[in-house]
Amino acid sequence: MNINKIIIDISEKNHIRLTHQRKKVIEILISNSNRHVSAEDIYTLIKDKDDNIGLATIYRTIKILEDKGILIRHDFGNGEAKYEFVMKEKEKHDHLICKQCGKIIEMAGILPENLNQKVLKEKGFYCKEFHLIIYGYCDECNNVRVNQSVHSKVKY
Amino acid sequence: MNINKIIIDISEKNHIRLTHQRKKVIEILISNSNRHVSAEDIYTLIKDKDDNIGLATIYRTIKILEDKGILIRHDFGNGEAKYEFVMKEKEKHDHLICKQCGKIIEMAGILPENLNQKVLKEKGFYCKEFHLIIYGYCDECNNVRVNQSVHSKVKY
DNA sequence: GTGAATGCAAATTCTTTGCATATGA
DNA sequence: TCATATGCAAAGAATTTGCATTCAC
């Protein structure tokens, strides 16, 4: 199935009117589904292809796709939302973020299998999406840390 | 241990110079440690007590407390950071957020015990903080959803 | 043809920063 | 005393909105 067919498929299944701009946004999202992209990223990637689009349109499109569950929004805590295209085939994964260098490492299979039932039973809550972010230190940064001192003596 | 003593304790342990404003911020955080408060919330709560403080000071204080690990920052995806005072005694918990009404339910004991070792072994990553947010539907909203139709026919 | 989408610029919201003044240790 | 914190207002960054124009169906 080529990318054009996939896009048409998405738009029809989700009742999204397919404009030139929306097509471009979805195209970029699909071809970058291995990354986390911001609205600005999408904007730049489209501009790079000598295509014109307004940032506002991107924000509006993103919101629709998110509503439809086609796009997952991540807040990694730097004040900029990142988006990830949902591929059925792709394994769900969580994110490890280094507090020192900001690197994001993906890791799958962290959460237990039976979480949905557990949460439903205990809290009457129907789980749809699990967002687990683990903050800590990656290997390299941790080595630097232990060589220096972990507890800063800096006076504020 | 009264609240004043606790605040002095925090400031000394963490080498934070104790100003009138910082005292106020910490005081508000402690007395609202059962909630998630934003910078604006803290500002309003202090103003309500007929005390004066600048928003900038609150942001600066928050940043220090977060650096010191006294405060946990949560990004719940509405563009506003929320903070939670860390009480040693308080059990760590995760958050269930209803996609419909926005309600936040706290739940403890979701994550497995041995995560630190697992992540370290698999990815060489040293875990410090676990932020698990589960998006879904609370009991009430889910009832409404199943009575209506789950899939919107609205054309965008 | 017509209601809905777009682009632009202006408006909003949250957060940060520069600088003169005030203050805690 | 004196480095550091504060308040204010201005700057920044991300996102949203109003409105005239354009476009998909």
Side-chain angles (χ1 to χ4, degrees):
Chain A
M1 189 145 78
N2 69 40
I3 198 159
N4 217 42
K5 181 76 187 60
I6 296 176
I7 294 173
I8 292 173
D9 209 57
I10 289 174
S11 83
E12 286 178 352
K13 269 211 190 73
N14 295 281
H15 312 276
I16 298 170
R17 173 177 297 183
L18 209 49
T19 66
H20 176 70
Q21 291 86 336
R22 288 179 177 177
K23 210 180 272 188
K24 282 294 159 194
V25 171
I26 299 175
E27 200 180 301
I28 289 293
L29 286 169
I30 292 178
S31 55
N32 288 274
S33 56
N34 59 328
R35 304 205 293 130
H36 306 108
V37 292
S38 64
E40 193 73 37
D41 291 336
I42 298 170
Y43 182 71
T44 310
L45 286 164
I46 292 178
K47 288 283 195 181
D48 281 353
K49 290 185 164 184
D50 288 326
D51 238 307
N52 200 39
I53 193 168
L55 241 188
T57 301
I58 292 176
Y59 278 108
R60 285 188 276 236
T61 304
I62 281 174
K63 181 159 290 170
I64 294 169
L65 298 177
E66 200 193 344
D67 280 354
K68 299 291 191 181
I70 299 163
L71 211 51
I72 293 182
R73 176 199 168 113
H74 294 288
D75 292 286
F76 290 141
N78 58 350
E80 191 190 44
K82 298 273 190 177
Y83 294 89
E84 190 174 13
F85 189 74
V86 178
M87 306 281 277
K88 280 186 298 301
E89 312 79 32
K90 197 177 170 189
E91 195 181 13
K92 289 283 195 318
H93 61 266
D94 300 299
H95 300 98
L96 321 177
I97 303 184
C98 179
K99 287 161 83 94
Q100 189 66 46
C101 68
K103 184 181 358 184
I104 300 179
I105 302 167
E106 297 186 351
M107 180 171 169
I110 299 185
L111 293 173
E113 292 294 335
N114 59 343
L115 261 188
N116 289 55
Q117 295 98 293
K118 178 171 179 172
V119 173
L120 180 57
K121 198 170 162 193
E122 275 189 44
K123 299 287 180 181
F125 188 89
Y126 295 78
C127 302
K128 285 289 168 193
E129 270 179 48
F130 297 87
H131 288 222
L132 172 59
I133 303 177
I134 305 179
Y135 293 96
Y137 296 95
C138 70
D139 216 0
E140 299 95 77
C141 290
N142 190 63
N143 288 337
V144 176
R145 272 161 51 80
V146 294
N147 290 339
Q148 297 172 358
S149 163
V150 175
H151 296 292
S152 153
K153 289 291 186 305
V154 178
K155 183 92 183 175
Y156 283 92
Chain B
M1 190 145 78
N2 70 40
I3 198 161
N4 217 42
K5 181 78 186 60
I6 297 177
I7 295 173
I8 292 174
D9 210 57
I10 290 173
S11 84
E12 286 178 352
K13 269 210 191 74
N14 294 282
H15 311 277
I16 298 169
R17 173 177 297 184
L18 210 48
T19 67
H20 176 71
Q21 291 87 336
R22 289 178 177 178
K23 209 180 272 186
K24 283 293 158 194
V25 171
I26 298 175
E27 199 180 302
I28 290 293
L29 286 169
I30 291 178
S31 55
N32 288 274
S33 57
N34 58 328
R35 304 205 292 129
H36 306 107
V37 293
S38 65
E40 193 74 36
D41 291 337
I42 298 170
Y43 182 70
T44 310
L45 287 164
I46 291 177
K47 288 284 195 180
D48 281 353
K49 290 187 164 184
D50 289 327
D51 238 308
N52 201 39
I53 193 169
L55 242 188
T57 302
I58 292 176
Y59 277 106
R60 285 188 275 235
T61 305
I62 281 173
K63 181 160 289 169
I64 293 169
L65 297 177
E66 200 194 343
D67 279 354
K68 298 292 189 180
I70 299 163
L71 212 51
I72 293 182
R73 176 199 168 113
H74 294 288
D75 292 287
F76 290 141
N78 58 350
E80 190 190 44
K82 299 271 190 178
Y83 294 88
E84 191 174 14
F85 188 75
V86 178
M87 307 281 277
K88 279 185 298 302
E89 313 79 31
K90 198 176 169 188
E91 196 180 11
K92 288 281 197 318
H93 60 265
D94 300 299
H95 300 99
L96 321 177
I97 302 184
C98 179
K99 285 161 84 95
Q100 190 66 46
C101 68
K103 186 183 352 187
I104 301 179
I105 301 167
E106 297 186 349
M107 180 170 169
I110 299 184
L111 294 173
E113 292 294 334
N114 59 343
L115 262 189
N116 289 56
Q117 296 98 291
K118 179 171 178 170
V119 173
L120 180 56
K121 198 170 161 190
E122 275 190 43
K123 300 287 180 179
F125 188 89
Y126 295 78
C127 302
K128 284 291 168 193
E129 270 179 50
F130 297 86
H131 288 222
L132 172 60
I133 304 177
I134 304 179
Y135 292 95
Y137 296 95
C138 71
D139 216 359
E140 298 94 77
C141 290
N142 190 65
N143 288 337
V144 176
R145 272 161 50 81
V146 293
N147 290 339
Q148 296 172 1
S149 163
V150 175
H151 295 293
S152 153
K153 292 290 188 302
V154 179
K155 184 91 182 174
Y156 283 91

